[in-house]
Amino acid sequence: MKTLNRRDFIKGVAALSTAAVCSVASGNAFADEEKPAETAVQPDAVEPAASAEPGQTPKLPWGKYQELDPEYVRKLGHLGYYLQECAGGAFWGIMTALKEKVGYPYTTIPLPSMDDFMANLDNKKHGMQVPMSYGAGGVAGFGTLCGAPNGAACAITYILPMEEAEKLIQRLLRYYEVEEFPTKESNDMAVHHEFYPKKMKSDKALLRSASDSVLCHVSVGKWCEKSGYASGSKERAERCGRITGDIAAMAVKMLNAHMKGELDAVFPMKLSHDTVGCMTCHDKGEKFETGQFTRGKMDCGDCHDEKMEPHRGPNTLKTAYGTDVTTFAGAAVIGTIAGIGAHAVNKRITKGKNDDEE
Ligand code: HEC
Ligand code: HEC
């Protein structure tokens, strides 16, 4: 007889509460779900630039976005990686394209020029530092968030107000989890020598793989495992260079689309199946007892798999007020009664409700 493991059980619970819920969904949690999905800032709609004091850079966001060519930005991001790795490279690539196209205030960011970069390809450490350079290797080599989406996210916050930026950034992170990197586009560019550096770290078409994780540690680890290249190899570095270009290009595609109110056409927001299920209970919220003692939208299943399966041992948690936390099975019932359904959670995320501001 096949026994149902707890993971399958969780999935079952998620499906069950979906069915039970729709009529009961508490007004509170999903109250302002109905606000319009897209409130794109049209180019020049945000114009704080004009209000800057002489000699000062204006406050963010700067707006003034103009449609950029994603393929050009892919090449800039790749070049940026050769000089300042993933985070600095993605930031530099997007900002350089904006600086060229829009001019002020993007000209006020301290960035080496394209000529500086090309002239310093062999001497990349000297005077080439950019904002976001610290993000390399998942923040100064710590292996947390991959620098490419980190740098691109920073660029986006120069352009858009945070509540809009967040929609693009979440999509960019999700794209990072599911795309097989490096993309076909950047592999092709490399093989045909269309990138800027004459001396490539590798001009081969590199193995493409999805990491199901935004972490540098996981992304590099899985790729190295599959490709057989070491983390210090030229091929691994080249892979990350292409990813930097790929992410910068996708960020620009999203920005272009967002300005036309067509963000979903580029990349609809859809969390992983696991995450939607887990978030029925483990969302950011005030009900400690039902699992609201954690937060996040990463792909839960990438880590909490068979090897790190949750809900195995007895519960040892207590709330700050001394109440025992109900067991998982109890929570399943509470979850169902309270009507916190997987599809409701997913719907809320999809609509980009911003409940994560703290
Ligand atoms: C990158 C790997 C990773 C991902 C992705 C991940 N977790 Fe975890 N999670 C961990 C680790 C590591 C711990 C700590 C385990 C320990 O120390 O016992 C943890 C702990 C937890 C805990 C216990 C309480 C706490 O916060 O420490 C919960 C609940 C949890 N995770 C839920 C989730 C949910 C829900 C998701 C998806 C939204 C998720 N996790 C995604 C690695 C991950
Ligand atoms: C029906 C509600 C519910 C769902 C769905 C749920 N959890 Fe939990 N989870 C709880 C509750 C309540 C606790 C604390 C009590 C306990 O440990 O039984 C908990 C505890 C945990 C813990 C810490 C203690 C342990 O047993 O490891 C982790 C890790 C965890 N959950 C991860 C997950 C992940 C990952 C998912 C999705 C695959 C998930 N949970 C889905 C309610 C839920």
Side-chain angles (χ1 to χ4, degrees), residues 213 215 218 275 278-279 282 291 293-304 308 317:
S213 173
L215 300 182
V218 177
T275 304
C278 305
M279 283 183 72
H282 296 299
F293 45 80
T294 186
R295 68 182 293 181
K297 298 181 176 66
M298 294 187 293
D299 187 347
C300 319
D302 186 54
C303 300
H304 295 284
M308 198 177 131
L317 291 168

Side-chain angles (χ1 to χ4, degrees), residues 6-7 10 13-14 274 277-282 288-291 293 300-301 304 308-317 325-329 331-333 335:
R6 298 199 87 184
R7 202 166 140 82
I10 293 163
V13 166
D274 273 324
C278 305
M279 283 183 72
T280 53
C281 303
H282 296 299
F288 188 108
E289 296 81 2
T290 62
F293 45 80
C300 319
H304 295 284
M308 198 177 131
E309 199 178 359
H311 313 128
R312 264 191 192 150
N315 169 46
T316 51
L317 291 168
V325 172
T326 127
T327 61
F328 168 75
V333 174

